[in-house]
Amino acid sequence: MPVDNASELLKYYEVYETIGSGGFAKVKLGRHILTGEKVAIKIMDKKDLGDDLPRVKMEMEAMKNLSHQHVCRLYHIIETASRIYMVIEYCPGGELFDYIVAKDRLSEEETRVFFRQIISALAYVHSQGYAHRDLKPENLLIDEGHNLKLIDFGLCARPKGGLGYELMTCCGSPAYAAPELIQGKAYIGSEADVWSMGVLLYALLCGYLPFDDDNCMVLYRKITSGHYKNPHWLSPGSILLLNQMMQVEPKRRLTVRQLLDHPWVMKGYSSPVEWHSTRPLGHIDEDCITEMAVSLRRSKQSTVQLVSEWKYDQTTATYLLLLAKKQRGRPVRLRAEA
Ligand SMILES: COc1cc(O)cc(Nc2ccc(C(=O)Nc3ccccc3)c(OCCC[NH3+])c2)c1
């Protein structure tokens, strides 16, 4: 097996320290040389992937179709003989999980800011026909603007007939999994995601889980019973919302659409959750095209055509990172091509 010399990766990125590792992947910090933008680089050895390879392919396909202010963005895929590299949006605030642990629990007001972003992300993901199926604080990262980004679409599903169709594969983390999912029943992905959002909301407001036990059979019984304690500091509004989301019967559960303007979600706000993407797929930004055309010594028109192929190669990465740079208020400039 040819040893991977990462030459393809190092052509376009400086690679720094490892910032996360788990399962079959590790994540390193990186910097895109042409734009100077920082990135996260998820590195997977194909030999370690085994039968997880289809899951990785599924995630990459999903991420190519998802572009949203609260979903971590995929910029570049580099596949070599032995490895897959995914270049992803940089989220230096770390995991929401660690943030909750550090603060013990969040106030209702701070929870509401984050929860509105989670609703925005899921409303968008569902509108694209996907269910995430592994919602938990570890899969929500905080970016440099202190905003949440949904990550890890390795377990997401896009049923052929649309989200209304039933899924069978049991997956995700038990503590956040809906009763119908752990009972192996046919379930609707978006309904299972709402249950997990309820568990997430509870974790934000309480600092611990509504259903927890070291023995997984006891844990399953707690989840399928749907009984959990409401600590004294929860407001009546929070207690009601949690109850409406953690309904054992999926059809009695709130939908993500109903969450958009739910009274608890609206408290202190004058408008429902804005869930449409502010960075729609296929959007072509004039300034970025102009800078790339100059750098690539191509006409603007041929640059638009090249970018619009969305191959998730160096061209896609350069365009998206230049756009990210512009959105951060930095000059829309590329380093002179070496
Ligand atoms: C869709 O986005 C995905 C998919 C996926 O499968 C994995 C990830 N993982 C990421 C993405 C970004 C970071 C990151 O930027 N972390 C970071 C940067 C600077 C300082 C500290 C952290 C990432 O971090 C690794 C885990 C952090 N505990 C993982 C995104």
Side-chain angles (χ1 to χ4, degrees), residues 29 46 70 114 122-123 129 134 140 143 165 177 183 189 195 200 203 220 234 262 269 286 300-301 311 320:
L29 273 196
K46 287 183 184 173
H70 294 303
F114 277 147
L122 270 301
D134 194 16
L140 284 155
D143 72 1
Y165 272 60
Q183 287 175 322
W195 173 280
L200 238 174
Y220 284 0
L234 290 182
H262 185 281
Y269 287 79
E286 271 302 300
K300 271 197 206 176
Q301 198 220 341
K311 287 188 285 192
L320 289 177

Side-chain angles (χ1 to χ4, degrees), residues 228-240:
Y228 56 90
K229 292 191 179 69
N230 287 308
H232 65 81
W233 60 79
L234 290 182
S235 71
S238 297
I239 291 170
L240 175 62

